[in-house]
């Protein structure tokens, strides 16, 4: 079989090549339109389409998110706390304070506190076990400064807050605080064995820290530590520590 040779005129090739060159830019323009605005840029980056006025726009663009605000708010509210605790520093006597704290929160993390307590005294019975070198019982132990009550005022700062989930059913809000202030201690002092106890009011400084768990819209449970600092009757500085647990109600 003889193959027939097909001859194409030269002018036909020139026309076909010219049409192909003219059609290529048009096809490219239709297939890839130029992106416009931030939405096209977001699509090219694989990000969801968001308007620049949307609060989540920059969070998506920068992959930075702000911690969610808590539902339990304290700013502008009053709180009243009933608490009880222990002051265990004296080995011969322990004090069981029962008191009230009143708080007003200027900001969400800054509040004012006024507190007052009365301390019930409990003998540890340690003095009954003391003996001198000859084996004789101790007749008396000089306590020096016994605590009857404390009244103080200070500022509370809560730099840390968070949340706890209970069985994925309930969220409990919490915060940690530090406290600083000043006040007055009513002490029962005894300077020596031959003098009786006298009641004296002394200025004191107060430092502390605490943890609060918020339940519902009005209630919280507080655990607090307070370090009192005041002058001893015979010189030196007394530093009794108070650990307490209380229940607060917000108005």
């Amino acid at each position: 079989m003889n193959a027939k040779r097909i001859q194409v005129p030269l002018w036909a090739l020139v026309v076909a090549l010219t049409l192909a060159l003219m059609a290529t830019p048009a096809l490219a323009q239709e297939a890839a339109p130029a992106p416009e605005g931030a939405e096209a840029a977001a699509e090219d980056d694989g990000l969801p389409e968001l308007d620049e006025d949307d609060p989540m726009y920059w969070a998506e663009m920068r992959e930075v998110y702000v911690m969610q605000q808590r539902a339990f708010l304290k700013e502008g509210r009053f709180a009243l706390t009933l608490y009880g605790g222990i002051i265990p520093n004296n080995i011969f006597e322990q004090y069981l304070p029962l008191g009230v704290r009143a708080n007003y929160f200027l900001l969400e993390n800054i509040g004012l506190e006024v507190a007052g307590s009365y301390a019930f005294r409990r003998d540890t019975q340690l003095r009954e076990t003391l003996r001198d070198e000859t084996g004789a019982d101790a007749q008396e132990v000089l306590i020096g400064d016994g605590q009857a009550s404390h009244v103080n005022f200070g500022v509370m700062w809560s730099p840390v807050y968070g949340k706890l989930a209970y069985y994925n059913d309930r969220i409990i809000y919490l915060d940690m605080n530090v406290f600083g202030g000043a006040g007055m201690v009513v002490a029962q002092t005894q300077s020596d064995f031959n003098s009786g106890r006298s009641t004296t009011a002394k200025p004191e400084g107060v430092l502390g820290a605490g943890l609060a768990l918020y339940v519902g819209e009005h209630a919280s449970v507080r655990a607090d530590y307070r370090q009192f600092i005041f002058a001893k009757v015979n010189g030196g500085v007394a530093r009794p520590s108070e650990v307490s647990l209380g229940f607060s109600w917000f108005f």
Side-chain angles (χ1 to χ4, degrees), residues 11 16 19 27 33 37 48 56 66 75 79 90-91 99 105 107 121 129-131 147 177 179 183 193 203 210 229 243:
W11 61 269
L19 292 176
L27 292 174
M56 293 298 296
V66 178
E75 182 176 352
N90 195 320
I91 62 174
F105 293 91
L107 300 174
R121 186 173 61 188
T129 65
L130 298 180
R131 302 286 188 274
Q147 302 166 59
N177 63 75
F179 177 85
F193 291 104
I229 305 171
V243 180

Side-chain angles (χ1 to χ4, degrees), residues 137-158:
D137 295 341
Q139 298 297 317
E140 188 177 357
V141 175
L142 182 63
I143 300 299
D145 296 271
Q147 302 166 59
S149 62
H150 294 269
V151 177
N152 51 69
F153 171 80
V155 178
M156 178 185 295
W157 177 42
S158 305

Side-chain angles (χ1 to χ4, degrees), residues 93-237:
E93 293 180 344
Q94 289 183 345
Y95 304 94
L96 306 175
L98 183 64
V100 177
R101 293 189 174 103
N103 295 86
Y104 176 71
F105 293 91
L106 302 172
L107 300 174
E108 189 61 31
N109 60 345
I110 296 179
L112 305 178
E113 179 178 287
V114 178
S117 66
Y118 177 81
F120 296 92
R121 186 173 61 188
R122 183 173 70 90
D123 196 325
T124 63
Q125 308 297 326
L126 181 61
R127 73 187 70 197
E128 299 177 1
T129 65
L130 298 180
R131 302 286 188 274
D132 60 15
E133 297 179 354
T134 62
D137 295 341
Q139 298 297 317
E140 188 177 357
V141 175
L142 182 63
I143 300 299
D145 296 271
Q147 302 166 59
S149 62
H150 294 269
V151 177
N152 51 69
F153 171 80
V155 178
M156 178 185 295
W157 177 42
S158 305
V160 178
Y161 78 88
K163 303 176 184 178
L164 294 176
Y166 179 74
Y167 282 101
N168 294 326
D169 180 57
R170 176 176 297 181
I171 295 179
I172 300 175
Y173 296 88
L174 61 92
D175 65 29
M176 300 177 64
N177 63 75
V178 292
F179 177 85
M184 183 172 296
V185 56
V186 177
Q188 296 177 339
T189 61
Q190 184 180 14
S191 57
D192 56 50
F193 291 104
N194 297 322
S195 62
R197 288 193 173 191
S198 60
T199 302
T200 306
K202 301 181 181 182
E204 68 177 358
V206 187
L207 298 174
L211 172 67
L213 299 177
Y214 300 95
V215 183
E217 291 294 326
H218 298 280
S220 72
V221 178
R222 287 180 52 172
D224 290 279
Y225 170 83
R226 293 291 184 267
Q227 181 74 65
F228 303 109
I229 305 171
F230 59 88
K232 292 182 178 180
V233 64
N234 292 323
V237 178

